[in-house]
């Protein structure tokens, strides 16, 4: 019998060794930025060291192979540092800044179709130049544009160029504890500023600035949306069809989306491997048609790859769909040259390529969950499936589907809890029907688009797709309404998430790994216990940054006392903070005095003279700053967002004139203070 040595996975998958130092460079540059000169020096030194190493004798190269590996790791680390530094809009000297204000004007081209909001139209603009009189200074940078809504029709389209005369404003985070950091998200998109425009703040010029390929993609996307809206009756069903096929979520019902999220099947809406797999299967089938229609073996891989990437671009080019596109590209190339690549090498290689394209995807939850799900399937699917042997084919199919769903949850669970603070208790039930049915729906939508030029066939196909989506929505909403459908309020930090992964890896290795799992589990328990201990002793005030509303939480231990408007969107603004602070009970707090020397004034000036550590002005209170300063002595004055712009500006000017500090929530973010 011939002996075949077992080759370690990191030797069969070289990208597994290349990816960690590259990611380390990205992380270090983001959290502890190095000077650009340091990055170039490290890159040049590592490259030169590798060149000199290749010149020494083979015997020394073999003996000092680890040294060459170290040089390569330093080279990749430096590459990560320089790549992130080059993509960070905050460090670019040629970008726009707040000095470029009127009387300067900005030449901006519209980069995306306008999306409709309650009171505005929103889009992204690419700044081309700064105009001052007859002087033009070319620059670069993206800004968010909000246009006052006067009609139900967008005022212009992709490619239009505008002359903007309005001053820019920085994109700011709400500052609400535990909430989504919108400012950081925009920075990752290359956006630091925004402008709110009325009709007199901009002019549309006749010359357009269009990318022909992007224009083709947007036009095709709009045609697909028009087909789905025309032949699929029902607004919710048509919106779901748009999201499932091409990732267009403008018409997606928000409550329905929340139901899909709560039941753990939101992944069927995100364009990912399921969609690319179906496109791959269809393209391969079309290329193998019998007779003269069959495509030659030389052209087949190029047609399939082109089709996969065209669909990926049409679907918006999200990290999950691009990951699938890269992996399917490797699969097609491997089949063409009769070589099978390691799934782990393909995963690491695709991650390396995508992070080179956009290093900020490393912080993207979709990117992380996409790779965690595929890696989890690769590692755990077969072992879970092999736990039971089922003879019946139907039962075996159900068990295989169950094993796939369970395997995908193993490595995505810590990330889901870390990012979204919930766990879908009935994910297994929901996925068993949702995943296969979504595949049928996707196929039906593709057929609908293909036969759209035949109204009779398109109408019949649209009716079938409508009922399939309707039944799927009803099933998901039914699961979401079951008792204990989702476990809400889960809160773990990054250290605890890492500990969970160490526990999973340790339990997977059993005898050897138990010595990793037990210490990690101990650290996880200690960190969690300490968080509950500190939460039980906390005394903290939070004045939330909620547009046009009052929302105030007072944390005394794990009890929260709430003062504010009843219509506040609590899931987005308030609940993340309560989960972060381990709140166990919520009570309504009435009256002006919230706590020891914490006063809320939301109607008129109290007829008392007193000391107040914190005064909060809300709901356009009838207050004159001179009178307030005469009656009260305070340490902190907070002006929340329930006040009108005129009241806020008047109080700000009065505070500046009197030399009084104030915290304007709309400008500085949520007010958070420990009351010790």
């Amino acid at each position: 019998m011939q002996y075949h040595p077992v080759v370690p996975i990191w030797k069969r998958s070289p990208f597994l060794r290349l990816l960690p130092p590259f990611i380390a460079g990205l992380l270090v540059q983001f959290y502890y930025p190095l000077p650009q000169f340091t990055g170039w020096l490290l890159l040049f030194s590592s490259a030169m060291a590798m060149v000199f190493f290749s010149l020494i004798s083979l015997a020394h190269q073999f003996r000092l192979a680890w040294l060459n590996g170290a040089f390569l790791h330093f080279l990749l680390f430096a590459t990560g540092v320089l790549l992130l530094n080059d993509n960070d809009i905050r460090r670019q000297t040629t970008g726009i800044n707040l000095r470029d204000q009127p009387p300067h004007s900005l030449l901006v081209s519209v980069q995306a179709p306008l999306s409709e909001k309650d009171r505005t139209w929103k889009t992204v603009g690419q700044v081309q130049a700064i105009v001052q009189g007859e002087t033009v200074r070319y620059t670069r940078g993206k800004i968010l544009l909000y246009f006052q809504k006067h009609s139900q029709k967008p005022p212009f389209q992709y490619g239009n160029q505008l002359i903007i005369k309005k001053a820019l404003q920085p994109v700011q985070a709400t500052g609400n504890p535990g909430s989504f950091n919108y400012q950081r998200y925009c920075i990752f998109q290359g956006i630091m500023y925004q402008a709110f425009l009325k009709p007199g703040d901009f002019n549309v010029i006749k010359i357009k600035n269009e990318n022909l390929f992007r224009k083709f993609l947007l036009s095709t996307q709009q045609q697909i949306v028009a087909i789905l809206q025309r032949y699929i009756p029902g607004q919710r069903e048509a919106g779901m069809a748009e999201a499932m096929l091409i990732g267009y979520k403008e018409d997606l019902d928000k409550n329905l989306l929340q139901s899909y999220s709560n039941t753990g099947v939101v992944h069927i809406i995100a364009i990912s491997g399921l969609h690319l797999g179906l496109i791959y299967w269809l393209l391969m089938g079309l290329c193998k048609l019998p007779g003269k229609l069959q495509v030659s073996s030389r052209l087949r891989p190029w047609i399939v790859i082109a089709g996969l990437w065209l669909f990926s671009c049409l679907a918006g080019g999200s990290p999950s769909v691009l990951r699938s596109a890269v992996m399917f590209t490797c699969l097609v190339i491997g089949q063409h040259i009769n070589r099978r690549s390691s799934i782990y090498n393909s995963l690491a290689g695709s991650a390396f390529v995508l992070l080179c394209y956009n290093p900020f995807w490393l912080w993207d939850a979709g990117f992380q969950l996409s790779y965690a799900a595929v890696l989890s399937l690769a590692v755990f699917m077969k072992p879970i499936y092999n736990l039971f042997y089922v003879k019946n084919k139907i039962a075996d199919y159900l068990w295989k589907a169950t094993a796939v769903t369970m395997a995908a949850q193993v490595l995505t669970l810590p990330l889901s809890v870390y990012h979204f603070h919930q766990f879908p208790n009935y994910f297994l039930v929901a996925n068993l029907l949702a995943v296969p049915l979504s595949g049928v729906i996707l196929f039906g939508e593709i057929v609908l688009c293909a036969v759209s030029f035949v109204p009779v066939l398109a109408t019949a196909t649209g009716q079938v797709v409508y009922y399939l989506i309707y039944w799927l929505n009803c099933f998901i909403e039914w699961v979401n309404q079951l008792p204990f459908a989702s476990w809400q309020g889960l809160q773990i930090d990054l250290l605890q998430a890492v500990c969970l992964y160490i526990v999973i890896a340790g339990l997977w290795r059993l005898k050897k790994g138990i010595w990793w799992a037990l210490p990690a589990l101990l650290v996880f328990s200690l960190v969690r216990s300490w968080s509950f201990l500190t939460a039980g002793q906390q005394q903290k005030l939070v004045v939330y940054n909620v547009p046009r509303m009052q929302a105030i939480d007072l944390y005394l231990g794990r009890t929260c006392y709430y003062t504010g408007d009843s219509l506040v969107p609590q899931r987005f603004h308030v609940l993340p903070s309560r989960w972060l602070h381990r709140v166990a009970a919520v009570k309504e707090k009435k009256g002006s005095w919230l706590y020891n020397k914490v006063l809320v004034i939301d109607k008129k000036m109290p007829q008392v003279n007193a000391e107040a550590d914190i005064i909060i002005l809300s709901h356009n209170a009838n207050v004159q700053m001179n009178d307030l300063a005469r009656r009260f002595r305070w340490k902190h004055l907070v002006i929340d967002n329930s006040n009108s712009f005129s009241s806020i500006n008047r109080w700000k000017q009065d505070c500046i004139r009197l030399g009084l500090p104030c915290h304007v929530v709309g400008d500085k973010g949520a007010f958070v203070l420990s009351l010790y």
Side-chain angles (χ1 to χ4, degrees), residues 576-627:
S577 177
R578 293 176 181 172
W579 294 337
L580 180 66
H581 292 93
R582 307 290 188 187
V583 169
V586 179
K587 299 180 180 180
E588 292 285 338
K589 183 73 173 178
K590 297 182 179 180
S592 297
W593 292 95
L594 287 184
Y595 187 56
N596 183 27
K597 298 183 179 180
V598 178
L599 174 64
V600 178
I601 304 176
D602 60 1
K603 293 181 180 179
K604 61 181 180 179
M605 179 84 70
Q607 297 303 313
V608 295
N609 295 343
E611 289 189 11
D613 289 343
I614 303 168
I615 294 180
I616 304 169
L617 299 181
S618 297
H619 292 137
N620 300 312
N622 186 15
V623 169
Q624 298 297 325
M625 198 58 61
N626 289 330
D627 193 17

Side-chain angles (χ1 to χ4, degrees), residues 253-264:
D253 184 270
K254 299 299 184 291
N255 294 326
L256 186 61
L257 176 62
Q258 190 61 52
S259 297
Y260 275 74
S261 177
N262 292 344
T263 52

Side-chain angles (χ1 to χ4, degrees), residues 239-259:
M240 179 60 65
E242 296 163 12
M244 292 180 67
L245 182 61
I246 56 174
Y248 185 81
K249 297 182 174 63
E250 294 297 325
D251 301 324
L252 187 60
D253 184 270
K254 299 299 184 291
N255 294 326
L256 186 61
L257 176 62
Q258 190 61 52
S259 297

Side-chain angles (χ1 to χ4, degrees), residues 17-19 21-22 71-81 352:
R17 292 175 287 168
L18 302 179
L19 191 60
F22 177 69
F71 294 148
L72 177 60
H73 280 65
F74 280 121
L75 181 70
L76 292 168
F77 176 86
T79 302
V81 168
F352 188 91

Side-chain angles (χ1 to χ4, degrees), residues 264-275:
V265 293
V266 73
H267 59 88
I268 69 174
I269 300 175
I271 309 297
S272 59
L274 175 66
H275 302 71

Side-chain angles (χ1 to χ4, degrees), residues 482-504:
L482 293 175
F484 311 107
S486 62
W487 188 359
Q488 302 280 347
L490 299 175
Q491 178 67 41
I492 61 173
D493 59 17
L494 182 60
L495 176 59
Q496 289 174 293
V498 172
C499 287
L500 286 178
Y501 278 115
I502 296 175
V503 170
I504 293 171

